[in-house]
Amino acid sequence: KAGVTQTPRYLIKTRGQQVTLSCSPISGHRSVSWYQQTPGQGLQFLFEYFSETQRNKGNFPGRFSGRQFSNSRSEMNVSTLELGDSALYLCASSTSGVSTDTQYFGPGTRLTVL
Amino acid sequence: AQSVTQLDSQVPVFEEAPVELRCNYSSSVSVYLFWYVQYPNQGLQLLLKYLSGSTLVKGINGFEAEFNKSQTSFHLRKPSVHISDTAEYFCAVIYSGGSNYKLTFGKGTLLTVNP
């Protein structure tokens, strides 16, 4: 089985722009979660989608949004980018969600905001 | 607030030496505990997890961890490390008391194995 894929792998944007990141889960997985990783804050949970519905959300401003399509692929959008949004964005997929299920992580998208 | 503390940000060891990476979590009624490893420029890979049952959990690559409820700890151990174990290690917890499950991660421990 192919693993979790994330596109693009690297992205450079300027302040005020918006960005969309994509995540394709492992075939058969219906849950996709997103995380932000920064040197200062570490790994922080953004949100989880399951069967096209947001099931859980972390403590991030409304500029961070996401969605999931019927094929379980997910996108994450960040509007009005700030310098502090520079981070590695990881997505993870699992069969039934964030619980006892093993989360399989993608390689991440490294976003740099100038 | 629910939290995970990894007591050491960096742990340098020599090859073939034993290692212990420490992790403590906030006290709670019921938790699921995980250790993940992240190699440079890669995502996270699950090493092992504790859900219930035996408190000693064995994982991949020769790692094991022990759940200690009284000390709210879940330390990761390996009896003999290799150069290839050099990576960042993250402890994570799910507090299973509510209906919304979130993975809460520690800040990570950078394990550097020197020849």
Side-chain angles (χ1 to χ4, degrees):
Chain A
K1 266 186 183 178
V4 178
T5 58
Q6 292 187 245
T7 56
R9 290 293 311 276
Y10 301 91
L11 208 46
I12 299 175
K13 292 285 186 179
T14 55
R15 278 184 299 173
Q17 287 187 310
Q18 76 162 19
V19 68
T20 300
L21 313 181
S22 180
C23 173
S24 292
I26 291 172
S27 178
H29 285 190
R30 296 166 65 190
S31 166
V32 173
S33 300
W34 288 89
Y35 299 84
Q36 182 195 64
Q37 185 178 20
T38 60
Q41 299 298 318
L43 277 153
Q44 294 184 283
F45 171 77
L46 280 156
F47 29 64
E48 180 198 1
Y49 285 87
F50 183 83
S51 293
E52 301 180 67
T53 301
Q54 187 181 88
R55 192 155 70 173
N56 209 347
K57 191 177 188 306
N59 297 322
F60 279 81
R63 300 185 297 107
F64 292 83
S65 63
R67 59 178 175 167
Q68 187 180 33
F69 301 96
S70 57
N71 61 358
S72 294
R73 188 177 71 86
S74 177
E75 286 182 348
M76 192 193 94
N77 186 276
V78 187
S79 63
T80 319
L81 283 166
E82 301 176 359
L83 294 179
D85 297 332
S86 293
L88 180 67
Y89 289 88
L90 294 163
C91 78
S93 76
S94 65
T95 305
S96 57
V98 179
S99 59
T100 58
D101 257 7
T102 295
Q103 301 291 305
Y104 293 88
F105 283 80
T109 293
R110 185 164 295 281
L111 172 65
T112 302
V113 182
L114 303 175
Chain B
Q2 302 162 350
S3 65
V4 180
T5 302
Q6 291 184 241
L7 297 161
D8 305 297
S9 59
Q10 297 187 53
V11 173
V13 295
F14 287 108
E15 195 173 17
E16 297 183 6
V19 71
E20 178 180 82
L21 306 184
R22 297 181 291 170
C23 172
N24 287 88
Y25 60 94
S26 303
S27 180
S28 180
V29 175
S30 182
V31 293
Y32 303 135
L33 294 156
F34 307 80
W35 274 100
Y36 285 86
V37 61
Q38 186 176 33
Y39 299 102
N41 298 316
Q42 294 187 28
L44 278 69
Q45 179 185 9
L46 181 69
L47 278 176
L48 47 79
K49 61 182 176 182
Y50 170 79
L51 305 179
S52 65
S54 172
T55 57
L56 183 63
V57 181
K58 293 191 183 297
I60 62 171
N61 301 341
F63 284 94
E64 63 180 33
E66 185 153 20
F67 170 57
N68 188 318
K69 188 173 183 178
S70 63
Q71 297 187 7
T72 61
S73 69
F74 190 55
H75 300 333
L76 181 71
R77 302 184 184 101
K78 186 170 182 178
S80 175
V81 294
H82 304 290
I83 299 284
S84 58
D85 292 323
T86 295
E88 190 147 26
Y89 292 79
F90 293 91
C91 180
V93 62
I94 292 175
Y95 294 90
S96 57
S99 57
N100 289 326
Y101 294 129
K102 297 180 188 180
L103 259 179
T104 300
F105 286 89
K107 290 292 179 85
T109 297
L110 179 61
L111 173 65
T112 303
V113 181
N114 298 300

